[in-house]
Amino acid sequence: MDKVKNTSVNTGNENLDKLRRVFPQFVKENKIDFEALNKFFKDEEIVAGEEKYGLNWAGKSNAFKLIRTPSIGTLTPQEKESKDWDKTENLFIEGDNLEVLKLLQKHYREKIKMIYIDPPYNTGKDFIYKDNYTENISDYYEKTGQSKDGIKMTTNPESAGRYHSDWLTMMYPRLFLARNLLQEDGVIFISIDDNEVANLRLIMDEIFGEENFLAQIIWANKEEGGSSDSKHFRIKHEYILVYAKNFELLTINGVEITNIERYVSSDKYIATRGKYYLQKLGMGTIQYSQSLDYEIVTPDKTKVTPKENNSGKKACWRWSKKKLEWGLINGFIEFKKDKKGIWQVYTKQYLNCDNNGNIIDRKQRPFGIIDQYSSTQASKDLQKIFGVSIFEYSKPVNLIAHLIKISTEENEIILDFFAGSGTTAHAVMELNAEDGGNRKWICVQLPEATDEDSEAYKAGYKNIAEIARERIRRAGKKINKGDVDFKSLSLSKSNYRQWNLLTDKDDENKLIKQMKVFLEKPLVDEYDEKSVVYEILLKEGYNPNSKVTQEKSGNIKYWQVVNEGKKLLVTFEKKITKDQVESLKLTEEDTFVCLDSALDDTTKINIGRNLTIKVI
């Protein structure tokens, strides 16, 4: 009989299992046999030793340790902080995002379509995520120095010996775990500035593969003025790195064309092709090809060459001779004389039809430079919501909405695990209201303490997570269309009793005593039943949005979790009989969870034949 899981997915073991399935000969005694691996690929070019391309830093091994270490924390419901708990499917999670990403692995693996994050830029002014590399972060409250109201900032000056290394060690495991959550056709957008953009490119190439790099978007984020923090040049831009999970499967949605005013001409095909504009067939912008350098017969039977259509320069046509013949027959070619009386050959660029005759909804690829959304406007918009200047460096809602629009369809999940003031949640809700979509969001934010001199603190907001939740509430109330509510959960210590490591100096009696406590009381003292149920459903891979209700059948009380046709029943009864379990009328697809001590051996055997039973 299995026990319920008390940790998150072990990513290291999962990857080892994948290797074992494909190459079982390279896994011996649950370890990778690198000698066998090298022998197998001896005729191939193996990357080994020091002379290899890539990024290395002090602490990279610690980053891998963080990935491999399962989380023993849990997510506890904060129903009072939530809005319309029973109906919404949006999630706001307060806590360290590394631990939260581990806890999301079981259910959300390959279910997220788009990730947007705005991580710390490592300017040296502040650095929150000082991960402890030797212990599990379930005790993150103590490790990060959390005060009563939030986690205090620490500095990371350039004079520090591990200035870049600390940032890289913080980012690497989070990005690694985030990739696992993306669908195969998913995409991630990361805001960054000059301080770490080069290093971020390298670790993203390593985690996602450089073949999945899409763009380094330039965001011109400042209007006139600003850039006072740049010494030699007026830096008025940041970057947004874009990587696909799988380049071949990703589709980036086109955006509305910005030069629609040039589509002014029309012909007999207007009903299907729409209006058009003319573009010279001999533009001279393509590499010269002799096969594209040919004569064209004009309406008065004279002949023209590409050279004559391109101011006397060596040139060629954009279309082959065969394609030209097709264009003449199907009305895609137009002739006009210029002021010198020379025939010019044009292609008709239709609004709703491509140059292969396919009827299309004309869109254009998004530009790699974004200059229509400013950080100044973002601050003003946020100030309108709160009435005071409550949060600095917020991203514009319309910028994030633009990224979501070009990368998702109307029923997908968006994740932001550096949520800040909650801009991503706000953007998803606004976009849904605009296009009738049903996108869902998951936002994760550390309870970073606000400065006691700040307007936010004076307004009663003691940490950033509080600001984000309130921003989402207010924005949702204003939008008031679609799902504008959210469940709030917080990263907490596990409800399972944790084993205390004993040293050689500890006597045998302490060991026996601890073992007895574990057997008799596997859960912490004064545990909350609902919190335990949420820990179980999360670590067993159920959706955090599952319907959770408290039920009673005869004289047995239990919690019922229903998700996608599956049921999970959890009871905390001290003693359970075979008749009580059978009265619940469970199927083979359902799972029954109870305290190990609640069942005697005979009952375990009798009810375990036709039912999945797990014990605490």
Side-chain angles (χ1 to χ4, degrees):
M1 190 167 290
D2 294 333
K3 287 192 174 184
V4 290
K5 295 178 174 60
N6 59 6
T7 67
S8 66
V9 171
N10 188 316
T11 306
N13 286 348
E14 275 199 336
N15 289 332
L16 191 65
D17 288 341
K18 289 177 184 176
L19 180 64
R20 185 186 285 111
R21 285 195 294 271
V22 180
F23 294 112
Q25 67 270 38
F26 300 147
V27 180
K28 308 286 177 61
E29 296 182 338
N30 219 32
K31 293 182 180 179
I32 299 174
D33 187 338
F34 286 101
E35 184 178 348
L37 217 152
N38 277 325
K39 285 180 180 177
F40 184 84
F41 291 106
K42 64 181 180 179
D43 293 327
E44 307 291 336
E45 287 196 25
I46 301 293
V47 178
E50 296 180 1
E51 293 186 2
K52 55 186 177 183
Y53 177 78
L55 178 64
N56 202 8
W57 67 91
K60 189 172 185 179
S61 60
N62 289 328
F64 290 118
K65 288 179 185 177
L66 288 171
I67 293 169
R68 293 195 303 269
T69 305
S71 173
I72 55 174
T74 184
L75 301 181
T76 301
Q78 295 178 299
E79 294 190 51
K80 291 182 180 179
E81 298 285 354
S82 305
K83 190 179 176 190
D84 211 343
W85 178 280
D86 292 325
K87 293 182 180 180
T88 185
E89 293 183 48
N90 299 316
L91 299 178
F92 183 89
I93 303 172
E94 176 183 309
D96 181 280
N97 53 18
L98 178 62
E99 292 295 280
V100 173
L101 286 169
K102 291 178 181 179
L103 292 169
L104 295 179
Q105 295 289 308
K106 185 73 173 179
H107 177 73
Y108 286 101
R109 175 69 64 98
E110 297 186 350
K111 291 185 179 179
I112 306 295
K113 181 57 190 289
M114 182 265 204
I115 295 174
Y116 169 77
I117 56 171
D118 183 16
Y121 281 8
N122 201 22
T123 60
K125 297 176 183 177
D126 59 80
F127 197 86
I128 306 302
Y129 299 85
K130 288 282 189 179
D131 295 327
N132 186 307
Y133 309 125
T134 58
E135 303 173 34
N136 192 282
I137 313 174
S138 61
D139 298 327
Y140 90 106
Y141 289 99
E142 290 83 3
K143 293 176 184 176
T144 50
Q146 181 170 341
S147 65
K148 181 180 178 182
D149 298 319
I151 293 172
K152 298 292 185 182
M153 290 192 303
T154 57
T155 58
N156 187 44
E158 290 189 55
S159 57
R162 292 167 59 100
Y163 174 67
H164 291 292
S165 294
D166 278 351
W167 189 87
L168 288 165
T169 306
M170 181 274 293
M171 289 295 294
Y172 195 99
R174 289 165 171 83
L175 292 168
F176 185 99
L177 294 168
R179 183 185 179 277
N180 290 342
L181 300 179
L182 280 176
Q183 298 175 187
E184 282 302 305
D185 61 347
V187 62
I188 183 171
F189 297 85
I190 310 174
S191 285
I192 198 68
D193 70 355
D194 285 313
N195 286 293
E196 295 291 356
V197 66
N199 288 330
L200 182 58
R201 280 284 298 270
L202 287 172
I203 62 173
M204 286 298 291
D205 284 349
E206 185 170 311
I207 296 169
F208 280 74
E210 60 184 307
E211 69 276 8
N212 290 312
F213 169 75
L214 297 182
Q216 182 168 312
I217 296 172
I218 296 172
W219 173 42
N221 62 322
K222 291 184 174 68
E223 297 174 346
E224 289 304 314
S227 67
S228 59
D229 54 348
S230 48
K231 187 175 180 181
H232 298 293
F233 293 89
R234 297 183 67 192
I235 305 300
K236 301 165 76 70
H237 67 273
E238 295 177 7
Y239 307 100
I240 302 172
L241 292 188
V242 191
Y243 279 78
K245 175 81 172 282
N246 186 325
F247 184 90
E248 298 299 328
L249 298 179
L250 176 68
T251 298
I252 291 294
N253 302 324
V255 296
E256 297 299 326
I257 57 176
T258 55
N259 53 0
I260 196 168
E261 66 280 354
R262 64 180 175 172
Y263 293 88
V264 294
S265 302
S266 59
D267 57 19
K268 64 181 181 180
Y269 303 105
I270 189 169
T272 54
R273 300 179 185 176
K275 293 186 176 183
Y276 67 89
Y277 70 90
L278 295 177
Q279 188 174 58
K280 277 189 175 183
L281 186 63
M283 292 181 66
T285 57
I286 62 173
Q287 185 175 355
Y288 178 79
S289 171
Q290 189 172 355
S291 64
L292 297 177
D293 188 354
Y294 56 88
E295 293 181 330
I296 294 177
V297 179
T298 66
D300 65 6
K301 307 304 180 184
T302 59
K303 296 179 180 179
V304 293
T305 64
K307 183 177 181 180
E308 292 170 307
N309 271 231
N310 197 38
S311 304
K313 298 177 182 177
K314 186 177 182 180
C316 59
W317 304 115
R318 289 185 291 110
W319 288 11
S320 67
K321 197 169 186 178
K322 185 177 180 180
K323 180 70 178 288
L324 175 76
E325 292 170 356
W326 172 88
L328 288 167
I329 294 170
N330 292 282
F332 282 84
I333 298 294
E334 187 167 317
F335 293 91
K336 281 187 175 183
K337 283 188 176 181
D338 61 17
K339 294 178 180 179
K340 297 179 181 179
I342 298 173
W343 283 105
Q344 300 293 324
V345 188
Y346 297 89
T347 58
K348 294 179 182 179
Q349 305 297 125
Y350 289 99
L351 179 61
N352 299 323
C353 184
D354 66 20
N355 283 146
N356 292 313
N358 301 309
I359 302 302
I360 59 171
D361 178 15
R362 176 74 69 180
K363 301 277 187 179
Q364 67 182 15
R365 284 174 293 171
F367 288 102
I369 298 177
I370 300 175
D371 58 5
Q372 62 267 50
Y373 315 120
S374 76
S375 53
T376 304
Q377 188 59 48
S379 299
K380 291 177 181 177
D381 291 343
L382 197 55
Q383 190 166 351
K384 286 180 183 177
I385 294 175
F386 286 95
V388 293
S389 180
I390 202 120
F391 191 88
E392 293 183 335
Y393 310 119
S394 176
K395 293 294 185 290
V397 173
N398 45 14
L399 170 67
I400 310 307
H402 167 73
L403 301 178
I404 296 168
K405 191 172 184 177
I406 65 174
S407 61
T408 70
E409 299 303 326
E410 296 175 358
N411 294 287
E412 293 173 315
I413 305 173
I414 291 90
L415 169 65
D416 182 349
F417 52 91
F418 285 99
S421 67
T423 306
T424 298
H426 190 166
V428 173
M429 295 188 297
E430 277 206 353
L431 186 56
N432 281 342
E434 176 189 312
D435 65 12
N438 189 36
R439 302 171 186 86
K440 301 302 177 185
W441 54 263
I442 302 171
C443 285
V444 185
Q445 177 54 42
L446 194 75
E448 175 191 334
T450 53
D451 193 288
E452 294 184 8
D453 296 326
S454 67
E455 292 294 328
Y457 189 91
K458 293 172 184 176
Y461 302 103
K462 301 301 187 292
N463 64 65
I464 304 301
E466 290 179 8
I467 293 174
R469 278 191 295 260
E470 183 60 21
R471 189 254 184 93
I472 297 166
R473 291 188 197 102
R474 296 189 183 198
K477 186 176 181 181
K478 184 178 179 181
I479 295 166
N480 196 29
K481 186 178 179 182
D483 185 356
V484 292
D485 304 315
F486 63 93
K487 289 181 174 74
S488 182
L489 303 104
S490 64
L491 177 64
S492 309
K493 292 183 180 181
S494 175
N495 294 288
Y496 298 107
R497 196 176 295 278
Q498 301 301 311
W499 184 266
N500 294 318
L501 292 175
L502 301 175
T503 65
D504 293 337
K505 296 179 181 178
D506 293 314
D507 57 34
E508 187 177 340
N509 291 332
K510 286 185 179 180
L511 177 62
I512 294 171
K513 185 178 179 180
Q514 184 169 213
M515 290 176 65
K516 184 179 179 182
V517 171
F518 261 74
L519 289 172
E520 295 175 353
K521 296 180 178 181
L523 297 172
V524 297
D525 296 335
E526 300 180 359
Y527 62 83
D528 174 71
E529 286 190 5
K530 192 169 187 178
S531 296
V532 177
V533 171
Y534 267 86
E535 180 164 5
I536 292 171
L537 74 86
L538 191 70
K539 290 174 179 174
E540 290 294 322
Y542 282 75
N543 190 334
N545 283 307
S546 300
K547 184 179 181 181
V548 179
T549 55
Q550 197 167 15
E551 310 286 345
K552 184 177 181 181
S553 176
N555 59 355
I556 181 172
K557 295 179 181 178
Y558 61 91
W559 292 84
Q560 179 173 272
V561 180
V562 180
N563 173 234
E564 298 174 357
K566 295 194 303 179
K567 280 199 297 188
L568 171 72
L569 270 66
V570 183
T571 182
F572 297 91
E573 298 285 358
K574 302 299 181 185
K575 289 296 176 183
I576 302 169
T577 66
K578 177 174 176 286
D579 291 340
Q580 285 177 318
V581 177
E582 289 178 345
S583 72
L584 300 174
K585 294 182 171 55
L586 299 173
T587 70
E588 293 181 359
E589 300 297 318
D590 302 327
T591 302
F592 180 73
V593 177
C594 65
L595 296 170
D596 190 17
S597 58
L599 298 171
D600 59 43
D601 292 340
T602 303
T603 306
K604 286 179 181 178
I605 293 170
N606 288 335
I607 65 176
R609 290 169 180 165
N610 302 310
L611 185 64
T612 301
I613 297 179
K614 295 194 174 186
V615 295
I616 300 172

